Amino acid sequence: MSTGSASAPAERSQKVFPGRFDGKAAVVTGAAQGIGLAVARRISAEGAAVVLVDRSELVHEVAAELVAAGAKATSVTADLEQFAGAEAAVAEAVAANGRIDVLINNVGGTIWAKPYEHYAAEEIQQEIQRSLFPTLWTCRAALPQLVAQGAGVIVNVSSVATRGVNRVPYAAAKGGVNALTQSLALEAAPHGIRVVATAPGGTEAPVRKVKRGPEPEQEQEKAWYQQIVDQTVNSSLLKRYGTLDEQAAAIVFLASDEASYITGTVLPVAGGDLG
């Protein structure tokens, strides 16, 4: 969950570890905004050659920013809700860097916030399409390359909202991401591939340039959204939202060689809320 509606400490400065990803080729999806953008900045600052994937043209601005800072970065626009888009993005990533050492699947996010009985059938389908299929498709598209290499890391971004109010379809989608992570880890381990995930909690982020869905307008819609905010804070032992840097730190750690004995794990990053 990403929002700007709950109090959090001032954004902490990145604790970058230069050289941690030297010689590594990384792919970050959903890299134009939010957590994906924070991850792209950090992993490139730590030495990775990065391919940034997003359906928004904003991703090209991010790549230009990283190149200006001295990183090796390229950008790809793709619709990862479709397998063809995932295949094309993976092909461009391999063409750019020759391999994929790290795949970070960050696409997803709640579109609507309301009790389940108020969701229309097409809204349920859209939520699943948005928050499960991009990870399913991109894992499938990248896996042959990782198997051929005999090495690689996949970090999926899930959510502790698998146990949360007013977004049942999103919760179901992220539950699918958790199951994918744990099951694929079993299959991938013999090939030298680790598959892990983080489960972010509420995260302070700037206002999105590309909205996930309609803003709450009616008083009832605002009340339903406030219930999500209240539950998120109350479920956190630290009683606050996290920062983008706190989310990126966990993701990049799991992607690094420091986490070489961790696979099949979903790590909650939610101030003590285990989801």
Side-chain angles (χ1 to χ4, degrees):
M1 177 181 179
S2 177
T3 183
S5 58
S7 59
E11 186 75 13
R12 293 167 173 80
S13 60
Q14 282 192 353
K15 297 176 178 62
V16 172
F17 299 92
R20 184 158 59 164
F21 289 90
D22 280 357
K24 298 289 183 71
V27 177
V28 182
T29 74
Q33 301 181 88
I35 293 174
L37 172 56
V39 169
R41 285 172 171 163
R42 178 183 283 250
I43 201 168
S44 67
E46 296 190 3
V50 186
V51 175
L52 313 176
V53 185
D54 203 287
R55 66 181 179 184
S56 170
E57 297 291 330
L58 292 171
V59 74
H60 303 309
E61 298 177 17
V62 177
E65 169 202 318
L66 298 183
V67 170
K72 182 180 179 182
T74 56
S75 52
V76 177
T77 52
D79 179 5
L80 300 180
E81 292 182 17
Q82 309 300 323
F83 184 50
E87 279 192 308
V90 166
E92 291 200 45
V94 174
N97 294 319
R99 60 186 292 113
I100 297 173
D101 298 298
V102 175
L103 169 62
I104 298 171
N105 288 311
N106 182 65
V107 175
T110 305
I111 305 173
W112 292 279
K114 52 189 173 182
Y116 191 44
E117 67 267 25
H118 294 282
Y119 276 85
E122 60 271 17
E123 291 173 339
I124 295 168
Q125 192 163 9
Q126 286 180 55
E127 293 276 12
I128 300 298
Q129 195 75 24
R130 170 75 59 82
S131 291
L132 175 58
F133 275 95
T135 301
L136 274 172
W137 290 143
T138 309
C139 284
R140 173 60 184 84
L143 204 56
Q145 174 67 33
L146 301 184
V147 170
Q149 294 169 184
V153 183
I154 297 173
V155 184
N156 297 323
V157 179
S158 181
S159 174
V160 294
T162 49
R163 186 180 176 89
V165 299
N166 294 351
R167 40 191 176 152
V168 166
Y170 174 73
K174 289 302 189 178
V177 170
N178 292 348
L180 165 66
T181 299
Q182 293 163 342
S183 296
L184 185 55
L186 294 171
E187 294 186 11
H191 300 286
I193 302 162
R194 292 191 299 113
V195 186
V196 290
T198 65
T203 304
E204 281 285 350
V207 174
R208 292 179 62 85
K209 296 179 181 179
V210 179
K211 301 293 184 184
R212 290 197 180 108
E215 296 289 339
E217 294 180 354
Q218 306 300 322
E219 289 306 311
Q220 181 62 80
E221 292 175 339
K222 293 177 182 178
W224 285 335
Y225 187 81
Q226 188 61 45
Q227 287 173 356
I228 292 177
V229 174
D230 293 344
Q231 187 208 9
T232 298
V233 175
N234 291 335
S235 297
S236 167
L237 302 185
L238 300 181
K239 302 305 177 190
R240 66 170 176 86
Y241 273 35
T243 67
L244 290 174
D245 190 54
E246 287 171 325
Q247 298 299 339
I251 291 166
V252 174
F253 163 70
L254 286 177
S256 75
D257 290 341
E258 295 172 72
S260 58
Y261 199 50
I262 302 173
T263 194
T265 297
V266 179
L267 173 66
V269 187
D273 181 358
L274 303 181

